[in-house]
Amino acid sequence: MYGSSKLLWALFAAGPAFAQTFAGSALLDQAVEQAIEEGRMPGAVLLVGHNGQIVHRQAYGKRALTPTAEAMTVDTIFDLASLTKVVATTSSLMKLFEQGKFRLNERVTQYLPEFQGGKSDITIRNLLTHFSGEPPDLPLNPPWSGYQTGIHMAMIENPTTPPGTHFVYSDINFILLGELVHRLSGQMLSDYARQQIFLPLGMQETMFQPAASLVPRIAPTESLAPNSVALRGIVHDETSRYMGGVAGHAGVFSTADDLARFCQMMLGKGALNGTRLVSPLTVEKFTTPQTPPDQPILRGLGWDIDSPFSGNRGELFPIGSYGHTGFTGTSIWIDPATGTYVILLTNSVHPYRRPAITGLRGKLATITAAALGVDAPGAALTGYNETISGPGLRREVDRNGSTLTGLDVLAAENFRPLQGKRIGLLTNPTGIDRTGRRNIDAMRAAGVNIVALFSPEHGIAGAEDQPNVSDATDASTGIPVFSLYGKTMRPTPEMLRGIDALVFDIQDVGVHFYTYETTMAYAMEAAAKAGIAYFVLDRPNPITGVHVEGPLLDRDLLSFVGYFPLPLRHGMTMGELARMFNSENRIGADLTVVAMKDWQRGDWFDAGGLLWINPSPNMRSLNAALLYPGVAMLEYTRNYSVGRGTDAPFEQIGADFIHGPELAAYLDRRQIPGVRVYATRLQPALEGVRFVITNRDAFDSARLGLEIAAALEKLYPGKMDLAANGKLIGSAEVIRALVAGDDPREIQQKMVDSVAAFLKMREKYLLY
């Protein structure tokens, strides 16, 4: 084992300091040495940084085994292989991106016009996230040579799947991105990265095509033939080697110390020792999930977050962290939440290829996180459409909980905050406790003085399905019921006269155009104006609090079916929405949200042991609620049925112009994740299709809605009035794209940034 704290101090005198002791060092040493003894690799350099300090830096085993043995040293230079993708290509694109040289959702052909004959829909984002559909690599037989030859082959290689549909880790993507750097900057990637990234960071020993004078310190890789000399100073990756050693996917050589500077720059949000490479917003953009919203794979732009290739994250670092690996045995993992990075450099392909060292990488990350005692965040962002509790992977088995709604929580304390007040209660049949008792009856039994009731759309009994609902009287108590879906949509001063506090207790379904959300907000505005307290008794979002799907509602489309610029499916509870509305719209209400107990963001309604009461007459099941955002976004079209009044509302659609088998076949060919479609009849003369959820966690309601709209436009042109559905779809830009015939996957990808901004904004209002 070799160390060099003197060299380390010189390298980091102006930057990260060296910590002399680290509780996990012995375990790290043991893990690496065991892997060497087992023949997994000849040697390694391991470097761990935490909170601006190097806490572990050691060399192990041998740098070379043939033709003579050489000891590993901490200053060994390694062939980084695919770490090139993030260290050189991605970081170069970060600089060019913030200079406005390209936009992520623009087609590659805009910058590489010869790409696939100029007719490809693949975007730069698709390349960076490995969702382009390109195959893994260029063909190597028959052998070829030359940088331009490689670029030409990448330009004409045909994708195997449509863009945005499948994750295929592809070197071709980054060969193209390396050429994009060349076209945008006028410099080869090797020159641009060295001048704009490596040298400004003090990475003096990071480069493509290392000089011959450095060869003695370079870790050799593979012997290409029996008894041949191992590659040393020549890139191991065949494609990069054919291209002369400079390519966007492989070719960089570096040391652990140089990579520590790079990692510290990333943790410094683009800056190191007073040198700013890129802006903090750019770093955040590239290292947060950018993959299609209906896909379980999570990749940033270039960076890996949660995929089959992210085993080097270990089992304790949160999914909000990121990293990458290289085929030769190299890896980086960076965790911004804890200020930690783990760099493992080996030449596990020397002198021959061995099985991947994924297990070792993960073990070292887990040991590091455990030894540092890092605290995992409560809710880490895992996708533009998803958040997840804790540091682990997605929940694979649904939870069996015992959720207490806000009503149950308040009942457990005998409704103490409401005692002695004259209460107005805004509710409907969903306002029940875990035993099935009405909130009205539970409150009265506890001595709460309810002086008035208020009802939303569908009335106090939840059974009316008409444009106007009249005032009424509660049959069992005689308490007057004021309708907020009739002559007025808001409580009037007269209605609120003699009331000390207004309480809202209604089950929502998690969609921006469900009118109960607007009713809650209007009532909160009225309570604020009247100077009375406002309570929201929280209930679950039945379709989870982790899936968030665009489009966002345009501000000029706000209405009773869209109170606030929310995404179509917002992933928030009513209590969280109330907090957001009150703050963002400056309502100024004296708001109290009574939070639930034992509800987690990933819970579906069936996880909490609660009784399903139809929130509205046609919302008859959890399946209907999940399909509702996508199916109902087109409901304002004339002569178009979403199944209201049938045996399965929102689980089927029909129209006099639809040919069921044709539409079902078209939608199934689109391979919409988590759903299958079959032809049906809604009535003897009305054909349509019915939807079957096959995987609710993979299913994206908005994607289904966009696919339905696009299919109807394509198959039955002129039959759909998409503009009439503007307040439901929520976005004029999306409507224009649908009318223009754009692919729904591309439309959805363009929502990534706006939904990500919403996710950031909503964080401060989340309760769970």
Side-chain angles (χ1 to χ4, degrees):
M1 208 186 303
Y2 296 84
S4 178
S5 58
K6 183 177 180 181
L7 173 62
L8 183 67
W9 181 257
L11 285 170
F12 287 88
F18 178 61
Q20 296 296 330
T21 60
F22 173 49
S25 286
L27 289 174
L28 293 175
D29 292 343
Q30 180 181 344
V32 177
E33 289 166 351
Q34 181 179 348
I36 293 172
E37 290 174 6
E38 293 172 352
R40 306 297 300 277
M41 57 197 182
V45 175
L46 175 63
L47 190 152
V48 177
H50 177 62
N51 286 344
Q53 293 186 320
I54 305 301
V55 297
H56 183 91
R57 177 179 179 268
Q58 293 291 346
Y60 308 84
K62 304 297 183 182
R63 176 161 64 201
L65 297 178
T66 62
T68 59
E70 298 174 26
M72 185 67 76
T73 61
V74 291
D75 63 348
T76 295
I77 299 170
F78 289 84
D79 179 344
L80 297 187
S82 283
L83 286 189
T84 299
K85 293 180 172 73
V86 290
V87 173
T89 310
T90 297
S91 56
S92 295
L93 289 169
M94 288 166 69
K95 283 193 72 71
L96 294 166
F97 169 76
E98 69 176 22
Q99 292 169 5
K101 298 290 188 181
F102 68 91
R103 298 179 64 193
L104 294 170
N105 290 327
E106 289 173 329
R107 290 178 170 86
V108 176
T109 52
Q110 185 164 336
Y111 302 96
L112 307 178
E114 67 271 42
F115 178 56
Q116 296 180 1
K119 298 179 180 179
S120 173
D121 289 332
I122 294 173
T123 65
I124 295 173
R125 185 192 297 273
N126 293 148
L127 297 181
L128 281 162
T129 57
H130 295 286
F131 272 88
S132 68
E134 291 284 355
D137 201 356
L138 297 177
L140 298 173
N141 289 308
W144 50 271
S145 66
Y147 177 83
Q148 289 301 332
T149 301
I151 296 301
H152 174 71
M153 293 176 68
M155 293 286 189
I156 64 173
E157 189 70 34
N158 290 320
T160 58
T161 61
T165 60
H166 294 85
F167 171 74
V168 179
Y169 182 84
S170 171
D171 285 347
I172 296 174
N173 292 330
F174 275 78
I175 292 171
L176 293 166
L177 290 168
E179 176 63 7
L180 179 63
V181 173
H182 180 204
R183 302 281 180 99
L184 295 176
S185 70
Q187 294 180 282
M188 290 293 289
L189 172 64
S190 53
D191 297 326
Y192 185 86
R194 185 157 176 82
Q195 294 173 18
Q196 300 295 324
I197 308 297
F198 306 152
L199 294 182
L201 293 178
M203 299 168 65
Q204 300 286 344
E205 297 187 308
T206 304
M207 68 207 76
F208 290 86
Q209 301 169 316
S213 61
L214 295 174
V215 168
R217 276 203 291 128
I218 295 176
T221 54
E222 190 174 5
S223 298
L224 299 182
N227 302 317
S228 66
V229 177
L231 294 171
R232 195 162 190 172
I234 299 173
V235 63
H236 176 264
D237 179 86
E238 294 95 331
T239 305
S240 181
R241 197 162 67 244
Y242 282 13
M243 294 177 68
V246 177
H249 71 292
V252 169
F253 289 74
S254 187
T255 65
D257 291 332
D258 270 13
L259 292 179
R261 302 186 75 85
F262 182 84
C263 291
Q264 194 60 50
M265 177 275 295
M266 295 297 292
L267 288 175
K269 298 186 182 297
L272 177 70
N273 302 337
T275 297
R276 177 155 295 285
L277 201 66
V278 293
S279 74
L281 289 175
T282 300
V283 173
E284 182 176 359
K285 180 76 173 179
F286 275 67
T287 58
T288 53
Q290 302 292 333
T291 41
D294 56 8
Q295 297 289 340
I297 299 296
L298 297 177
R299 302 281 300 198
L301 299 172
W303 292 95
D304 192 5
I305 297 171
D306 184 20
S307 80
F309 296 89
S310 55
N312 55 322
R313 186 184 70 236
E315 299 182 73
L316 293 178
F317 283 126
I319 289 182
S321 55
Y322 55 90
H324 212 281
T325 61
F327 183 79
T328 52
T330 59
S331 64
I332 290 174
W333 198 263
I334 303 172
D335 178 27
T338 63
T340 305
Y341 56 88
V342 180
I343 299 167
L344 176 66
L345 300 181
T346 81
N347 52 340
S348 60
V349 295
H350 174 69
Y352 52 83
R353 301 187 184 192
R354 298 171 171 85
I357 56 170
T358 304
L360 174 63
R361 290 165 170 160
K363 183 185 296 185
L364 297 176
T366 300
I367 291 171
T368 298
L372 293 171
V374 298
D375 292 327
L381 177 68
T382 66
Y384 114 55
N385 67 331
E386 189 173 12
T387 54
I388 196 164
S389 296
L393 299 174
R394 288 172 177 77
R395 178 184 300 149
E396 294 183 0
V397 178
D398 288 312
R399 198 174 71 92
N400 292 316
S402 297
T403 301
L404 298 179
T405 67
L407 174 64
D408 295 314
V409 171
L410 210 55
E413 54 181 285
N414 200 39
F415 298 97
R416 179 180 48 80
L418 306 184
Q419 297 293 348
K421 295 182 175 69
R422 295 166 295 181
I423 301 298
L425 177 60
L426 175 45
T427 192
N428 71 358
T430 64
I432 60 171
D433 64 16
R434 278 190 68 86
T435 69
R437 182 172 54 163
R438 291 196 313 167
N439 48 20
I440 302 169
D441 301 325
M443 290 180 185
R444 284 168 55 85
V448 175
N449 182 20
I450 301 176
V451 298
L453 296 172
F454 298 82
S455 65
E457 183 180 2
H458 307 299
I460 195 71
E464 300 192 49
D465 203 7
Q466 55 194 21
N468 292 286
V469 177
S470 301
D471 294 343
T473 300
D474 180 56
S476 64
T477 64
I479 300 173
V481 181
F482 297 108
S483 171
L484 300 182
Y485 193 74
K487 293 179 294 183
T488 179
M489 304 294 191
R490 304 169 183 266
T492 64
E494 292 75 19
M495 294 176 183
L496 296 177
R497 188 172 293 118
I499 291 175
D500 301 315
L502 193 56
V503 178
F504 180 94
D505 185 25
I506 294 176
Q507 177 64 57
D508 187 40
V509 297
V511 184
H512 84 66
F513 49 69
Y514 210 57
T515 62
Y516 297 165
E517 296 172 9
T518 302
T519 297
M520 178 187 70
Y522 283 178
M524 183 160 52
E525 291 177 354
K529 289 181 180 179
I532 63 176
Y534 193 73
F535 290 80
V536 174
L537 310 188
D538 214 3
R539 291 183 176 273
N541 185 320
I543 56 176
T544 84
V546 297
H547 293 277
V548 180
E549 302 163 5
L552 260 68
L553 180 62
D554 294 344
R555 283 198 173 272
D556 59 358
L557 292 175
L558 298 181
S559 69
F560 189 66
V561 292
Y563 173 80
F564 187 81
L566 295 171
L568 178 70
R569 183 177 172 189
H570 50 68
M572 299 179 74
T573 68
M574 285 297 238
E576 292 170 338
L577 287 175
R579 284 159 50 86
M580 177 185 287
F581 297 163
N582 196 35
S583 176
E584 296 295 325
N585 278 4
R586 296 182 173 87
I587 294 173
D590 177 11
L591 172 66
T592 299
V593 175
V594 182
M596 295 177 282
K597 291 184 178 179
D598 194 28
W599 186 77
Q600 298 178 9
R601 299 210 73 80
D603 284 349
W604 296 87
F605 186 86
D606 53 38
L610 298 173
L611 178 65
W612 176 273
I613 300 293
N614 294 344
S616 52
N618 286 284
M619 194 63 64
R620 300 177 190 168
S621 69
L622 181 55
N623 283 341
L626 180 55
L627 288 160
Y628 177 70
V631 170
M633 70 158 66
L634 303 173
E635 190 171 8
Y636 287 173
T637 302
R638 293 183 60 187
N639 302 322
Y640 176 78
S641 171
V642 295
R644 288 183 185 271
T646 70
D647 62 335
F650 308 122
E651 297 185 49
Q652 54 188 342
I653 60 171
D656 55 11
F657 56 82
I658 288 177
H659 179 44
E662 177 185 43
L663 179 58
Y666 180 90
L667 290 172
D668 276 337
R669 285 197 302 272
R670 293 292 297 170
Q671 296 184 320
I672 308 167
V675 67
R676 293 289 292 174
V677 189
Y678 63 89
T680 189
R681 287 185 183 275
L682 281 71
Q683 57 187 30
L686 195 65
E687 286 190 25
V689 296
R690 193 156 179 168
F691 306 101
V692 178
I693 301 296
T694 58
N695 184 336
R696 64 184 182 182
D697 289 303
F699 176 66
D700 188 308
S701 307
R703 166 77 184 277
L704 175 64
L706 295 173
E707 291 284 2
I708 294 171
L712 295 177
E713 279 286 296
K714 181 179 179 65
L715 297 177
Y716 315 109
K719 297 296 186 180
M720 295 290 293
D721 184 1
L722 292 176
N725 294 281
K727 293 178 180 179
L728 301 179
I729 297 172
S731 168
E733 181 181 355
V734 167
I735 292 172
R736 286 192 295 269
L738 288 168
V739 171
D742 291 356
D743 191 301
R745 293 172 300 221
E746 182 178 338
I747 295 171
Q748 195 173 42
Q749 194 70 68
K750 290 180 179 178
M751 304 176 198
V752 168
D753 292 344
S754 60
V755 175
F758 170 79
L759 284 169
K760 187 71 174 176
M761 185 269 288
R762 80 168 190 160
E763 286 179 3
K764 55 182 175 289
Y765 303 114
L766 300 183
L767 293 168
Y768 315 95

